[in-house]
Amino acid sequence: MGATVCAAVEAAPDLELVARIDAGDDLAQVAAAGAQVAVDFTVPSVTEDNVHALIDLGVHAVVGTTGWTDESRGRLIAHLGRRAAEGTSVGVLIAPNFGLSAVLAMTFAAKAARYFESAEVIELHHPNKVDAPSGTATHTAHAIARSRAEAGLGASPDATESGWEARGADVDGVRVHAVRLRGLVAHEEILFGNEGEQLIIRQDSFDRVSFMPGVLLGIREVVSRPGLTVGLENVMDLS
Amino acid sequence: MGATVCAAVEAAPDLELVARIDAGDDLAQVAAAGAQVAVDFTVPSVTEDNVHALIDLGVHAVVGTTGWTDESRGRLIAHLGRRAAEGTSVGVLIAPNFGLSAVLAMTFAAKAARYFESAEVIELHHPNKVDAPSGTATHTAHAIARSRAEAGLGASPDATESGWEARGADVDGVRVHAVRLRGLVAHEEILFGNEGEQLIIRQDSFDRVSFMPGVLLGIREVVSRPGLTVGLENVMDLS
Amino acid sequence: MGATVCAAVEAAPDLELVARIDAGDDLAQVAAAGAQVAVDFTVPSVTEDNVHALIDLGVHAVVGTTGWTDESRGRLIAHLGRRAAEGTSVGVLIAPNFGLSAVLAMTFAAKAARYFESAEVIELHHPNKVDAPSGTATHTAHAIARSRAEAGLGASPDATESGWEARGADVDGVRVHAVRLRGLVAHEEILFGNEGEQLIIRQDSFDRVSFMPGVLLGIREVVSRPGLTVGLENVMDLS
Amino acid sequence: MGATVCAAVEAAPDLELVARIDAGDDLAQVAAAGAQVAVDFTVPSVTEDNVHALIDLGVHAVVGTTGWTDESRGRLIAHLGRRAAEGTSVGVLIAPNFGLSAVLAMTFAAKAARYFESAEVIELHHPNKVDAPSGTATHTAHAIARSRAEAGLGASPDATESGWEARGADVDGVRVHAVRLRGLVAHEEILFGNEGEQLIIRQDSFDRVSFMPGVLLGIREVVSRPGLTVGLENVMDLS
């Protein structure tokens, strides 16, 4: 992933790659090289230390590493707050997903959810995936459930009396189906229905190269967003 | 359904409607009116008697009523055999589904199944349906499983370790997912995958009027197919 | 359409139907019956007069009639402004489309457009439709084109050298394809692509009953939105 | 493509790779190595000479090279006939497409075509493709047109009066639409409609590795099919 990001930054006419940092390298090199923004795709065990070091160096950070908790995010917010009080404005963007189509699908699904009587999620992946349903689909179902609850909608109508095992997993009252098919990579389809109409939002990720436009967007946006931002959708213009 | 069939027969330039029979009417009227073919959309409790009476009258029958068993079909075959021995050639077509798109989807899925590593079925229906998965989807999954077994294929690859409730019902080793969505009627999607490719066969039934081309096809074909034929696909030209 | 709207209002627990107005009826009946909101599904030749009369009566209006121009909308704005200056706050909502799925598809497409290298539109309708592409698809393509232009995106990449007649209509630089198929009603699919990913937004209208949730939403929202609002998306919570 | 085929043959438990032939190599090596079947993915200028040489060597051939004409195929048939008369039974399979999903989609579409009032084809490819519509889509449309003509069906219903440029290319009376989208590879969707129902056959090719199951199938089947066979569908069990 690191190499792919470096290549994408080098190919972007408005960005310049000034340093590549490997495991074990000293992060001070980042500031020494004059970097304004650092991108962290590392592992859960080191990402928190990396980001605190970058904040100390006054370097903005775009973080794609998973494993952040409410506690570790809280420590980031506190650190960023102390730096702001000292007059140093640093921005950190943590994004669990840099795929624009995936982020947009989730965001649109959450917005649409309040306007439909029924909602279900189908996620489709390669058959080597060990967990079901996918994190993205679970995340989407939670967002739909939250949106429906805010709008005062109850559960989607469902007269099923037998065969519940065909009706998918119940995630916060939203049915989620997981398909595993050789040839596929990572795909999500969200279906909404009212009497006489249907809305489908579908997203296909064929290759990790698809994360690059989202990473570049994060790099461009984080410099003007001091403090912690979680989720790529929050640096996108979707209003 | 009876009225819809009568209207379709009347609208067909090559067919003539000569009698309409209601519950309690004497079936002898059918032969008296000169009918070559009778269409039976009644109820499981009377359909068998109806068809035997039609065979006695020498009238071919197209039957859309459910509830036939191996035993009741066996009695039909015996009766048709006796009539044939007497020199009277009568044809009976029993079809669980007259939707051309549904019948073709199932037939193509059975043919394709032996050529793909993975296969899954998604059926989508209105939320008032009480059973899951649908009879059509179950039938399709059985046909896929039979076809895979004949070709020496084992189960579709699946590394799932957790979250099995999202993986749908296991029908003969084929995963079947049931979606229930307001606005939908009856739909089926069959997905096949190999490394680097996917084949999708999808079928949508929006209205029962869609059964009429299949009923008319059955009427036209049954006259030249003495004996019992089960399944509309067996009077279609799919070789 | 009038009867369908009346039935939908009667079925809504928070709304009351107090008057039904037919062609030739006196609009004063609307106010006399105590209506707060009137719904106008008439014809282009009378809708403008109707709405001005409703404004004079102090009744809010939800308008589904087509044929409004910049000029006729300008006269409405002026009239509403005069009434506001007199201390009477009246709201008018003109919506070319009350289908929630259609409105959401267009709105989401406009928002997504700036984030993808490629965008195309496919609309699918029954074969009795005389014009192609559909107004909804044209409207969507314009919105996509505007959004791409604002983001500094040029035309979608396209190396086509021969066979342009297969590439659809060019609407503001966005390719729009029109499919006509027996069995369909009104459907739109918007495709966005980046290297390694795809986003599809699809909308199906199976029946005009699907317009009712949008009409009811308009009725509920217009009372708190003085002045002219054009487009159902502008009374929806999509921020 | 040659390297991919060699890897696929090596990985197949029932096949053995005995020789790799490059441009300029002597084809006699093929027979010397004991090959029963040779696979030719070369270029139009040399494929015909290659296949005639293989026939002389008594080696069956599976050919994926394009550029064959009625004349060059005629010369093959004559050569194979002379060898058969001499008592040497050699089989040659020429397939324009080894993608199982693509071949099945075309074959099923041709079979389904006679049963539907409407039919249209949408092909979707990466934006670097220079020709539209794709050869596969054109081939499919011709097959649909032929099947409709045999069944006595006229043109699909179409009331279009304006906007014909959105209605796609007319291939033998079948409308074909070409979508070009970054992120896609090669995809085809065939839509059939009757009153109240729809059948969709869709095929996705994500990677050329998807051709390997078809090549292996060809290798296994060609040995028992003396003479010339054109089209992978003719060695598949689709009856």
Side-chain angles (χ1 to χ4, degrees):
Chain A
M1 199 73 178
T4 312
V5 171
C6 289
V9 170
E10 284 193 311
D14 60 331
L15 300 177
E16 191 186 346
L17 183 74
V18 296
R20 295 163 198 262
I21 302 296
D22 225 324
D25 288 355
D26 184 353
L27 278 185
Q29 293 176 31
V30 174
Q36 285 177 276
V37 181
V39 178
D40 178 293
F41 276 97
T42 54
V43 289
S45 59
V46 303
T47 186
E48 186 178 358
D49 283 352
N50 286 349
V51 180
H52 283 287
L54 291 166
I55 295 172
D56 283 330
L57 293 166
V59 175
H60 308 286
V62 171
V63 183
T65 316
T66 56
W68 289 85
T69 62
D70 283 353
E71 289 69 34
S72 59
R73 278 190 296 260
R75 289 189 289 268
L76 267 198
I77 292 169
H79 192 177
L80 288 162
R82 286 192 303 275
R83 293 289 280 158
E86 296 161 17
T88 306
S89 162
V90 178
V92 174
L93 167 66
I94 299 181
N97 199 325
F98 281 98
L100 293 176
S101 61
V103 169
L104 286 170
M106 270 188 282
T107 305
F108 293 157
K111 287 180 195 291
R114 61 182 302 141
Y115 295 109
F116 291 91
E117 201 179 333
S118 298
E120 299 209 5
V121 178
I122 303 172
E123 55 95 335
L124 312 95
H125 281 83
H126 59 84
N128 301 330
K129 187 171 177 59
V130 295
D131 56 314
S134 70
T136 302
T138 302
H139 193 75
T140 305
H142 281 307
I144 290 171
R146 206 156 42 232
S147 187
R148 287 177 66 93
E150 282 168 17
L153 292 174
S156 294
D158 188 349
T160 305
E161 289 176 5
S162 65
W164 281 100
E165 66 279 9
R167 292 285 292 113
D170 179 329
V171 178
D172 257 14
V174 176
R175 293 279 153 186
V176 181
H177 310 268
V179 173
R180 297 292 171 263
L181 206 77
R182 182 70 75 212
L184 295 186
V185 182
H187 318 255
E188 187 185 24
E189 194 164 314
I190 307 131
L191 296 92
F192 295 103
N194 278 332
E195 196 64 59
E197 69 172 341
Q198 188 182 208
L199 177 70
I200 300 176
I201 300 171
R202 178 177 173 121
Q203 175 276 325
D204 299 274
S205 296
F206 302 119
D207 192 297
R208 68 163 51 170
V209 74
S210 68
F211 299 148
M212 292 311 110
V215 171
L216 298 185
L217 179 71
I219 293 170
R220 291 176 185 121
E221 293 292 330
V222 73
V223 296
S224 57
R225 300 182 188 254
L228 177 63
T229 305
V230 176
L232 193 66
E233 64 275 21
N234 292 309
V235 304
M236 295 176 79
D237 181 9
L238 297 175
S239 62
Chain B
M1 199 72 178
T4 312
V5 171
C6 288
V9 170
E10 285 194 310
D14 60 332
L15 301 177
E16 191 185 347
L17 182 74
V18 295
R20 295 162 197 263
I21 303 296
D22 226 323
D25 288 355
D26 184 354
L27 278 185
Q29 293 176 32
V30 173
Q36 285 177 278
V37 181
V39 178
D40 178 293
F41 276 96
T42 54
V43 288
S45 59
V46 303
T47 185
E48 186 177 358
D49 282 352
N50 286 349
V51 179
H52 283 287
L54 291 166
I55 295 171
D56 282 331
L57 293 167
V59 175
H60 307 288
V62 171
V63 183
T65 315
T66 57
W68 291 85
T69 62
D70 283 352
E71 289 69 33
S72 59
R73 279 191 295 261
R75 288 189 290 267
L76 267 197
I77 292 168
H79 192 176
L80 288 163
R82 287 193 303 272
R83 293 289 281 159
E86 296 160 19
T88 306
S89 163
V90 178
V92 174
L93 167 66
I94 299 181
N97 199 324
F98 281 98
L100 293 176
S101 61
V103 169
L104 287 170
M106 271 188 281
T107 305
F108 292 157
K111 287 179 196 293
R114 62 181 303 142
Y115 295 108
F116 291 91
E117 202 180 333
S118 297
E120 298 208 5
V121 178
I122 303 172
E123 55 95 334
L124 312 95
H125 280 84
H126 59 85
N128 301 330
K129 188 170 176 60
V130 295
D131 56 314
S134 70
T136 302
T138 302
H139 193 76
T140 306
H142 281 306
I144 291 171
R146 206 157 42 232
S147 187
R148 287 177 67 93
E150 282 168 17
L153 292 174
S156 294
D158 187 348
T160 305
E161 290 175 5
S162 65
W164 281 100
E165 66 280 9
R167 291 284 293 113
D170 179 328
V171 178
D172 256 14
V174 177
R175 292 279 154 187
V176 181
H177 309 268
V179 173
R180 297 291 172 263
L181 207 76
R182 182 71 75 211
L184 295 186
V185 182
H187 318 255
E188 188 184 24
E189 195 163 315
I190 307 131
L191 296 91
F192 294 104
N194 279 330
E195 196 63 61
E197 68 172 341
Q198 188 183 207
L199 177 71
I200 300 177
I201 299 171
R202 178 176 174 121
Q203 175 276 325
D204 299 273
S205 297
F206 302 119
D207 192 297
R208 69 163 52 171
V209 73
S210 69
F211 299 148
M212 292 311 110
V215 171
L216 298 185
L217 180 70
I219 293 171
R220 290 176 185 122
E221 293 292 330
V222 74
V223 296
S224 56
R225 298 181 190 256
L228 177 64
T229 305
V230 177
L232 193 67
E233 63 275 21
N234 293 310
V235 304
M236 295 175 79
D237 182 10
L238 298 174
S239 61
Chain C
M1 200 70 178
T4 310
V5 170
C6 288
V9 169
E10 285 194 310
D14 61 330
L15 300 177
E16 193 186 346
L17 183 74
V18 295
R20 294 162 197 264
I21 302 297
D22 225 326
D25 289 354
D26 184 353
L27 278 186
Q29 293 175 31
V30 174
Q36 286 177 277
V37 181
V39 178
D40 178 293
F41 276 97
T42 54
V43 289
S45 59
V46 302
T47 185
E48 186 178 359
D49 283 351
N50 286 348
V51 179
H52 283 287
L54 290 166
I55 295 171
D56 283 330
L57 292 167
V59 176
H60 307 288
V62 171
V63 183
T65 316
T66 56
W68 290 85
T69 61
D70 283 353
E71 289 69 33
S72 59
R73 277 190 296 261
R75 289 188 289 267
L76 267 197
I77 292 168
H79 191 177
L80 287 163
R82 288 193 303 274
R83 293 290 280 159
E86 296 161 18
T88 305
S89 163
V90 178
V92 173
L93 168 66
I94 299 181
N97 199 324
F98 280 99
L100 292 177
S101 61
V103 169
L104 287 171
M106 270 189 281
T107 306
F108 293 156
K111 288 180 196 290
R114 62 183 300 144
Y115 295 108
F116 291 90
E117 202 178 333
S118 297
E120 300 209 3
V121 178
I122 303 172
E123 55 94 332
L124 311 95
H125 280 83
H126 59 86
N128 301 329
K129 188 171 177 59
V130 295
D131 55 314
S134 69
T136 301
T138 303
H139 194 76
T140 305
H142 281 306
I144 291 171
R146 206 155 45 231
S147 187
R148 287 177 66 93
E150 282 168 18
L153 293 174
S156 294
D158 187 349
T160 305
E161 289 177 4
S162 65
W164 281 99
E165 65 281 9
R167 292 284 294 114
D170 180 327
V171 178
D172 255 15
V174 177
R175 291 281 155 186
V176 181
H177 310 267
V179 173
R180 297 290 172 264
L181 207 76
R182 183 70 74 210
L184 295 186
V185 182
H187 317 256
E188 187 184 25
E189 195 164 315
I190 308 131
L191 296 89
F192 295 104
N194 279 330
E195 196 64 61
E197 68 172 341
Q198 187 182 208
L199 177 70
I200 300 176
I201 299 171
R202 178 176 174 121
Q203 176 276 324
D204 300 274
S205 297
F206 302 119
D207 192 296
R208 69 162 54 169
V209 73
S210 68
F211 298 149
M212 292 310 112
V215 172
L216 298 185
L217 180 70
I219 293 171
R220 291 178 184 121
E221 294 292 330
V222 74
V223 295
S224 56
R225 299 181 188 256
L228 177 64
T229 305
V230 177
L232 192 66
E233 63 276 21
N234 293 312
V235 304
M236 295 175 79
D237 181 9
L238 298 174
S239 62
Chain D
M1 199 72 179
T4 311
V5 170
C6 288
V9 170
E10 285 193 310
D14 60 330
L15 301 177
E16 193 185 347
L17 183 73
V18 295
R20 294 162 197 264
I21 303 296
D22 225 325
D25 288 354
D26 184 353
L27 277 185
Q29 293 176 32
V30 173
Q36 286 176 277
V37 181
V39 178
D40 179 292
F41 277 95
T42 54
V43 290
S45 59
V46 303
T47 184
E48 185 177 358
D49 282 352
N50 286 348
V51 179
H52 283 287
L54 290 167
I55 295 171
D56 283 330
L57 293 166
V59 175
H60 308 286
V62 171
V63 183
T65 316
T66 57
W68 290 85
T69 62
D70 283 352
E71 289 68 34
S72 58
R73 278 190 297 260
R75 289 188 289 267
L76 267 198
I77 292 168
H79 191 177
L80 288 163
R82 287 193 303 274
R83 293 290 280 158
E86 295 160 18
T88 305
S89 163
V90 178
V92 173
L93 167 66
I94 299 181
N97 199 325
F98 280 98
L100 293 177
S101 60
V103 169
L104 287 171
M106 271 189 282
T107 306
F108 292 156
K111 287 179 197 289
R114 62 182 301 142
Y115 295 108
F116 291 91
E117 202 179 335
S118 297
E120 300 208 3
V121 178
I122 304 172
E123 55 95 333
L124 311 95
H125 280 83
H126 59 86
N128 301 330
K129 187 169 177 64
V130 295
D131 55 315
S134 70
T136 301
T138 303
H139 193 75
T140 305
H142 281 306
I144 290 171
R146 206 156 44 230
S147 186
R148 287 177 66 93
E150 282 168 17
L153 292 173
S156 295
D158 188 348
T160 305
E161 289 176 6
S162 65
W164 281 100
E165 66 280 9
R167 292 284 293 114
D170 179 328
V171 178
D172 256 14
V174 177
R175 291 280 154 186
V176 181
H177 310 268
V179 173
R180 297 291 172 263
L181 207 76
R182 182 71 75 211
L184 294 186
V185 182
H187 318 256
E188 187 183 26
E189 194 165 315
I190 308 131
L191 296 90
F192 296 103
N194 279 331
E195 195 64 61
E197 68 171 343
Q198 187 182 207
L199 178 70
I200 301 177
I201 300 171
R202 179 178 173 119
Q203 177 277 324
D204 299 275
S205 297
F206 303 118
D207 192 296
R208 69 161 54 170
V209 73
S210 69
F211 298 149
M212 292 310 112
V215 171
L216 298 185
L217 180 71
I219 293 171
R220 291 177 184 121
E221 294 291 330
V222 75
V223 296
S224 56
R225 300 181 187 256
L228 178 64
T229 305
V230 177
L232 193 66
E233 63 276 21
N234 292 311
V235 304
M236 295 175 80
D237 181 8
L238 297 175
S239 61

